């Protein structure tokens, strides 16, 4: 990287996949970024405690941890396993000092999108309660409809907001222009 980044920018780890997590944090600190958005699998390669220490030592904030979610399950045991993983994700985000855990909600198990979205909403409602003591906010990321079959049944900003607003405490939304450019109701939904 050359030059200095504006101090309010965060760099998402997916943007520089060849860098280790330590290289990302240290490089972004040198470039003047305010924060980094990390991915759980990459943090696991180094270890949550070590990544948190590197971030503290460099003065780098962790804006987001990606990802929790994948809520739709094949049955009670699978649902319990997925919820346990999401609680671990919240704990990891808290340990890193991440303000937000990004939720990619996952695909429908049986192609019933309405039921899948209800399952997502129910799971997020439960998880929102878990965040109370963790100082981590959950944020749903709606994905482009092309990803509905394999990554997320939440594909519009309106769907994400409806699910997020139904939780207590309310859950936020992460906006990615790559995923939302097509949404015909994006502009009116943004002004709600």
């Amino acid at each position: 990287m050359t030059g200095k980044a504006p101090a309010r920018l965060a760099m998402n780890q997916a943007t520089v996949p060849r860098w280790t997590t330590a290289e990302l944090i240290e490089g972004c600190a040198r470039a003047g970024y305010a924060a980094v958005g990390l991915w759980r699998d990459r943090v696991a390669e180094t270890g949550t405690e070590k990544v948190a220490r590197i971030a503290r030592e460099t003065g780098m904030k962790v804006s987001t941890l990606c990802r929790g979610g994948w809520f739709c399950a094949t049955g009670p045991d699978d649902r319990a396993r997925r919820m346990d993983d999401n609680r671990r994700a919240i704990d990891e985000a808290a340990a890193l000092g991440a303000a937000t855990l990004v939720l990619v909600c996952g695909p429908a198990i049986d192609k019933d999108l309405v039921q899948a979205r209800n399952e997502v909403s129910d799971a997020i409602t439960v998880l929102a309660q878990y965040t109370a003591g963790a100082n981590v906010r959950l944020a749903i990321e709606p994905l482009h409809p092309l990803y509905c079959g394999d990554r997320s049944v939440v594909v519009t900003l309106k769907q994400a907001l409806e699910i997020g607003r139904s939780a207590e405490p309310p859950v936020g939304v992460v906006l990615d222009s790559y995923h939302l450019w097509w949404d015909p109701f994006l502009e009116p939904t943004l002004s709600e």
Side-chain angles (χ1 to χ4, degrees), residues 20-31:
T20 66
T21 302
E23 289 170 335
L24 171 75
I25 293 169
E26 291 161 356
C28 286
R30 282 190 308 274

Side-chain angles (χ1 to χ4, degrees), residues 77-163:
D77 291 342
D78 188 33
R79 184 168 293 105
R81 182 185 58 76
R82 289 171 189 260
M83 291 301 283
D84 287 344
D85 184 61
N86 278 289
R87 286 184 199 91
R88 276 191 304 277
I90 293 166
D91 294 342
E92 291 165 15
L96 292 167
T100 303
L101 175 65
V102 177
L103 302 175
V104 174
C105 296
I109 297 299
D110 61 4
K111 308 297 184 217
D112 183 340
L113 296 179
V114 172
Q115 176 55 35
R117 288 183 187 117
N118 288 336
E119 201 171 330
V120 165
S121 183
D122 292 347
I124 289 174
T125 296
V126 170
L127 281 181
Q129 295 295 313
Y130 187 79
T131 64
N135 202 26
V136 173
R137 184 162 189 195
L138 301 176
I140 302 164
E141 182 176 10
L143 300 186
H144 190 283
L146 287 174
Y147 294 99
C148 189
D150 64 352
R151 292 199 192 155
S152 184
V153 295
V154 179
V155 297
T156 68
L157 177 58
K158 184 173 177 136
Q159 290 167 349
L161 287 171
E162 286 174 355
I163 292 169

Side-chain angles (χ1 to χ4, degrees), residues 22-84:
E23 289 170 335
L24 171 75
I25 293 169
E26 291 161 356
C28 286
R30 282 190 308 274
Y33 281 83
V36 291
L38 300 178
W39 285 69
R40 287 181 73 200
D41 60 331
R42 300 298 306 276
V43 169
E45 292 169 1
T46 304
T48 303
E49 289 180 23
K50 185 173 181 181
V51 170
R53 181 179 50 76
I54 295 167
R56 279 192 309 275
E57 289 172 356
T58 60
M60 184 62 56
K61 289 184 173 37
V62 178
S63 57
T64 59
L65 182 63
C66 194
R67 69 180 160 55
W70 295 84
F71 297 112
C72 300
T74 57
D77 291 342
D78 188 33
R79 184 168 293 105
R81 182 185 58 76
R82 289 171 189 260
M83 291 301 283
D84 287 344

